[in-house]
Amino acid sequence: MEAESVDVVFADPPFNLNKKYSSYKDKIGNEEYLRWTDERIKGCIRVLKPNGSIFIYNIPKLLIPTANILGRYASFRHWIAWDSPGRPLGRTLQPSHYGILYYVKNASDYKYNDVRAPHKTCRKCKAYLKDYGGKEYLRHSFGPLIGDVWDDIHKLRHRKRRIDTHPCQLPVHLVERILLISTEPGDVVLDPFLGAGTTAIAAKRLGRRWMGIEIDSEYVGVAGDRVKEEEETKKGNVFFSSFLKRVLSIRDKDINEYESTPVNRKPRSEVLV
């Protein structure tokens, strides 16, 4: 690939936990895994534009040595914790988060957008869960700026949303939030482990261009079919992330335009046709 040709890299590599994929196994020696990690990170940084960002998703155990490798080639911004509770495994604390390392190629020049999520409310009474303690005027009309702990995006638990042959699938909304933070419409996103196509779907919904690398031909076919079915998630000129007809993530600078843009509803007769 051409050097300095992509705006963002998002990587969700195998975790070296002996998970069964369609045509390959996820288990090599630890030293070999770290050498391979160094090799692929160097390749990703090479193709990243000077103001680009890289995000690497993994379990905490592997993110620690991965961060040491990343630090040789890029600058640390954040460790994002995705609150995604798992099952107790015995003789250990219950695993309750995955991590996303957020690094930039140039610490003094990189793209960043403030992103907001809607206020959390009670399911029954719809009241706000956060009390501003007499400073209600500080409450933003849409919702708070996101932090580095994300507990409002849920795992893919429903079978109808999963691809049976792929054991590790992320919710599209997780990747969409990452792209809203780090890109503009039309930017190029690279996923070196495309799998079932989650990053490609997120990029297409948000009006970003994408490139994906995947060694399994079955997953390539699945990803291609899934992407074809997707459309942009857009209101007027504003891209946003939504789930079940509810906005999950939107850039702060787009909120005024989003709220002032009328919904383009088709006439009923046209819908019926």
Side-chain angles (χ1 to χ4, degrees):
M1 288 178 58
E2 182 182 351
E4 300 185 352
S5 58
V6 303
D7 296 279
V8 164
V9 173
F10 174 76
D12 175 14
F15 294 172
N16 209 30
L17 296 176
N18 203 28
K19 285 183 177 289
K20 185 178 180 181
Y21 290 83
S22 178
S23 62
Y24 53 89
K25 288 187 177 180
D26 172 26
K27 187 61 180 176
I28 57 178
N30 288 335
E31 292 300 319
E32 183 183 357
Y33 183 87
L34 293 179
R35 284 195 298 270
W36 172 66
T37 299
D38 189 307
E39 187 176 315
R40 61 178 168 79
I41 286 176
K42 281 192 293 188
C44 289
I45 298 298
R46 183 186 69 83
V47 301
L48 201 60
K49 292 180 182 179
N51 64 347
S53 304
I54 180 170
F55 296 82
I56 297 183
Y57 171 88
N58 213 312
I59 56 177
K61 175 183 176 180
L62 292 176
L63 284 176
I64 293 171
T66 300
N68 289 331
I69 295 170
L70 256 176
R72 301 171 195 163
Y73 312 110
S75 297
F76 174 81
R77 291 304 305 163
H78 295 285
W79 176 309
I80 299 168
W82 178 36
D83 186 355
S84 182
R87 293 170 297 188
L89 302 176
R91 296 181 64 83
T92 183
L93 299 175
Q94 178 172 326
S96 291
H97 88 281
Y98 291 91
I100 303 169
L101 295 176
Y102 173 15
Y103 279 64
V104 295
K105 193 166 184 176
N106 185 342
S108 61
D109 179 23
Y110 58 94
K111 293 181 181 179
Y112 177 81
N113 298 300
D114 284 324
V115 170
R116 292 187 182 273
H119 293 293
K120 294 180 180 179
T121 58
C122 173
R123 289 187 176 184
K124 293 183 178 180
C125 68
K126 305 302 180 184
Y128 290 128
L129 294 182
K130 183 176 180 179
D131 181 6
Y132 275 66
K135 296 183 179 179
E136 191 63 26
Y137 63 90
L138 295 177
R139 188 187 299 276
H140 189 274
S141 61
F142 179 83
L145 293 171
I146 62 171
D148 59 5
V149 177
W150 299 352
D151 59 1
D152 57 338
I153 298 175
H154 302 293
K155 276 185 174 181
L156 291 176
R157 292 188 175 91
H158 300 292
R159 193 170 185 83
K160 67 179 182 179
R161 297 193 181 100
R162 295 187 62 85
I163 308 303
D164 289 340
T165 57
H166 199 289
C168 299
Q169 296 167 55
L170 296 178
V172 176
H173 324 294
L174 186 76
V175 184
E176 286 178 328
R177 179 170 289 179
I178 288 170
L179 298 186
L180 287 170
I181 290 172
S182 58
T183 63
E184 299 293 330
D187 281 356
V188 179
V189 181
L190 169 66
D191 186 336
F193 303 95
L194 188 63
T198 300
T199 299
I201 292 170
K204 186 173 181 180
R205 287 182 181 178
L206 296 178
R208 277 68 171 168
R209 294 177 292 163
W210 61 273
M211 303 172 69
I213 301 169
E214 174 55 49
I215 66 174
D216 190 293
S217 58
E218 179 181 350
Y219 299 153
V220 170
V222 169
D225 290 341
R226 294 179 72 203
V227 172
K228 288 177 184 177
E229 298 175 355
E230 293 296 327
E231 296 180 354
E232 292 182 342
T233 305
K234 193 176 183 182
K235 184 182 177 188
N237 296 315
V238 175
F239 292 96
F240 56 93
S241 175
S242 70
F243 181 59
L244 299 178
K245 300 182 179 180
R246 184 170 183 258
V247 177
L248 280 182
S249 306
I250 187 170
R251 301 190 305 181
D252 181 62
K253 64 184 180 182
D254 292 332
I255 288 178
N256 289 340
E257 183 177 350
Y258 173 85
E259 293 181 339
S260 62
T261 301
V263 177
N264 184 19
R265 299 186 184 278
K266 294 182 179 180
R268 181 170 175 77
S269 60
E270 187 178 342
V271 173
L272 291 175
V273 170

